[in-house]
């Protein structure tokens, strides 16, 4: 007989190597449990979680450099973003706002072919054309191809930490193009956003022309699922998303979903309180060191490896070995080009990667 839902255990992260979710920080777990039934979508009823959402947005504004551009005016930061259900909602909303504000008959969104599939959902749901442009041999968008495609665009998308290779597009160059063409630039840092403040890249609101950013606390931020983030330089971005909410005691709502997760919001605040900036910096350094070591180990075994720019390692692996590793319980996934990919998330350790390499050696 199947155990009941209450008796079942979630999968352990021990052998999970390809997920962008991870073990929540202990403080995030506790906060999530306290706010399981609070709805940030109804702030006039659930005041505490609404206040926590302002704190979450303030923390994300710090991390993405928005707070700095606002001159530290954190009091007003809630008109610049909200806690979404994840990267998909944030990306859909960035596209939706750009579509509303562009006010053209056939809106076009220009995005690299490395962009997450959530942009395909956005295009389908919103009836916009997704014009994909190629990436170069190293997985970053071809800036000349963007220049050739940008003229009639409602939005240009850059990826800061691509899902398959962890690559960061040349955001300053894309922002220059966007400013010249008077088109907003959206940066998808859903996964990369908690690494990038420490990696030396120019990526967030410090770059003129970056108008919106996706950054997910429920990935490297170590909040509970679901906790995504959408941030905007200009409050008009959120205004364009707002609809009237006649039966609530607040006038309007900019989020895509109605009822939202109080657990996600509260845990995002708890995780960022505990980890920003030093904890995230330490994790970035640990994960990069581990990714570099792992890449060297794979190269030492004669496997082709994509050099990690952020802590994500893609590498050549024969299909039979890949299947053998999956059978041994390793949760590993493949890129579109058929490489294996390992995302060095906070739960991935030197010990787990060494055990993985032992299994790999046995199977080859
Ligand atoms: C770069 C990027 N953007 C967006 C998403 C979608 O995020 P979510 O699955 O939280 O909706 C992902 C998910 O892996 C991602 O890697």
């Amino acid at each position: 007989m199947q155990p009941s839902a209450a008796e079942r255990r979630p999968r352990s992260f021990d052998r999970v190597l390809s997920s962008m979710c991870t073990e929540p920080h202990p403080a995030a777990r506790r906060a999530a449990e306290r706010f399981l039934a609070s709805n940030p979508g109804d702030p006039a009823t659930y005041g505490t979680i609404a206040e926590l959402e302002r704190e979450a947005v303030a923390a994300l504004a710090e991390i993405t450099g928005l707070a700095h551009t606002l001159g530290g005016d954190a009091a007003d930061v809630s008109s610049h973003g909200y806690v979404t259900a994840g990267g998909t909602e944030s990306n859909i909303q960035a596209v939706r706002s750009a579509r509303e504000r562009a006010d053209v008959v056939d809106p076009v969104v220009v995005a690299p072919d490395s962009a997450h599939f959530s942009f395909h959902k956005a295009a389908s749901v919103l009836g916009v054309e997704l014009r994909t442009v190629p990436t170069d041999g190293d997985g970053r968008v071809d800036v000349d191809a963007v220049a050739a495609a940008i003229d009639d665009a409602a939005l240009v998308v850059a990826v800061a930490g691509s899902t398959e290779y962890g690559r960061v597009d040349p955001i300053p160059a894309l922002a220059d193009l966007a400013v010249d063409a008077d088109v907003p630039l959206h940066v998808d840092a859903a996964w990369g956003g908690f690494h990038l403040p420490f990696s030396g890249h120019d990526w967030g609101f410090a770059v003129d022309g970056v108008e919106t950013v996706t950054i997910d606390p429920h990935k490297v931020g170590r909040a509970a699922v679901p906790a995504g983030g959408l941030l905007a330089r200009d409050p008009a971005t959120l205004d364009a998303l707002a609809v009237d909410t006649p039966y609530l005691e607040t006038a309007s709502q900019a989020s895509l979903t109605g009822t939202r997760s109080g657990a996600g919001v509260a845990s995002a605040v708890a995780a960022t309180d505990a980890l920003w900036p030093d904890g995230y910096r330490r994790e970035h350094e640990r994960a990069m060191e581990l990714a570099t070591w792992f890449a060297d180990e794979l190269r030492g075994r004669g496997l082709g490896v994509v050099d990690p720019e952020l802590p994500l390692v893609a590498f050549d692996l024969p299909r039979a070995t890949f299947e053998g590793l999956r059978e041994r319980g390793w949760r590993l996934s493949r890129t579109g080009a058929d490489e294996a990919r390992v995302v060095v998330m906070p739960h991935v350790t030197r010990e787990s990667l060494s055990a993985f390499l032992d299994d790999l050696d046995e199977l080859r």
Side-chain angles (χ1 to χ4, degrees):
M1 207 176 69
Q2 278 270 29
S4 72
E7 285 162 353
R8 277 183 242 180
R9 289 270 163 268
R11 136 155 240 122
S12 132
F13 277 103
D14 281 3
R15 293 192 165 215
V16 174
L17 298 183
S18 59
S19 177
M20 290 183 160
C21 297
T22 194
E23 193 66 63
H25 186 278
R29 189 181 279 281
R30 287 193 296 274
E33 216 172 301
R34 274 199 302 280
F35 287 90
L36 278 175
S38 295
N39 173 16
D42 180 1
T45 304
Y46 301 97
T48 307
I49 200 69
E51 177 52 38
L52 283 169
E53 183 165 24
R54 279 190 281 280
E55 290 179 31
V57 173
L60 295 177
E62 280 285 330
I63 295 167
T64 56
L66 178 62
H68 187 74
T69 70
L70 298 177
D73 183 13
D76 199 30
V77 88
S78 55
S79 57
H80 292 265
Y82 75 96
V83 177
T84 67
T88 300
E89 180 181 341
S90 302
N91 289 339
I92 291 174
Q93 291 282 75
V95 173
R96 180 175 158 226
S97 180
R99 182 193 70 171
E100 298 304 305
R101 296 184 71 194
D103 197 23
V104 292
V105 181
D106 296 311
V108 171
V109 171
V110 174
D113 60 18
S114 56
H116 185 261
F117 55 73
S118 47
F119 289 100
H120 293 269
K121 294 185 185 177
S124 158
V125 169
L126 297 167
V128 306
E129 179 195 336
L130 186 65
R131 187 179 289 159
T132 51
V133 291
T135 41
D136 62 20
D138 215 11
R140 294 179 197 90
V141 74
D142 177 339
V143 177
D144 292 338
V146 175
I150 200 172
D151 266 352
D152 59 343
L155 183 72
V156 178
V157 172
V159 186
S162 63
T163 315
E164 293 200 329
Y165 298 107
R167 286 292 188 254
V168 182
D169 286 331
I171 288 164
L174 296 173
D176 285 348
L177 287 179
V179 169
D180 286 350
D182 199 18
V183 175
L185 177 64
H186 172 66
V187 173
D188 182 1
W191 172 72
F194 285 84
H195 284 295
L196 291 159
F198 316 108
S199 67
H201 291 89
D202 292 321
W203 67 285
F205 291 100
V207 182
D208 259 354
V210 172
E211 291 302 320
T212 46
V213 171
T214 289
I215 173 169
D216 284 353
H218 73 198
K219 295 188 170 73
V220 180
R222 297 194 63 197
V225 176
L230 175 65
L231 279 289
R233 186 185 294 275
D234 182 349
T237 303
L238 258 66
D239 292 346
L241 297 171
V243 297
D244 293 344
T245 51
Y247 76 86
L248 297 179
E249 290 306 307
T250 39
S252 68
Q253 191 177 82
S255 56
L256 187 60
T257 56
T259 301
R260 289 183 291 131
S261 169
V265 168
S267 68
V269 175
T272 50
D273 272 359
L275 296 169
W276 171 257
D278 293 340
Y280 292 129
R281 181 187 295 109
R282 276 195 297 276
E283 172 54 22
H284 171 69
E285 288 166 358
R286 183 201 76 92
M288 273 317 297
E289 206 179 298
L290 194 52
T292 308
W293 169 80
F294 183 59
D296 285 346
E297 288 289 321
L298 294 165
R299 259 190 230 101
R301 286 162 170 79
L303 297 171
V305 178
V306 180
D307 245 343
E309 178 174 8
L310 291 177
L312 194 164
V313 185
F315 55 99
D316 295 327
L317 191 66
R319 175 59 71 167
T321 317
F322 177 86
E323 297 302 344
L325 287 161
R326 294 244 348 149
E327 272 162 33
R328 290 189 180 200
W330 295 103
R331 297 298 112 195
L332 198 61
S333 69
R334 301 188 81 90
T335 67
D338 225 29
E339 296 112 336
R341 61 189 266 288
V342 164
V343 190
V344 183
M345 292 296 287
H347 62 267
V348 175
T349 61
R350 178 85 167 235
E351 291 67 38
S352 60
L353 290 182
S354 297
F356 173 82
L357 289 169
D358 289 346
D359 278 357
L360 176 67
D361 290 341
E362 274 178 40
L363 288 165
R364 289 177 77 224

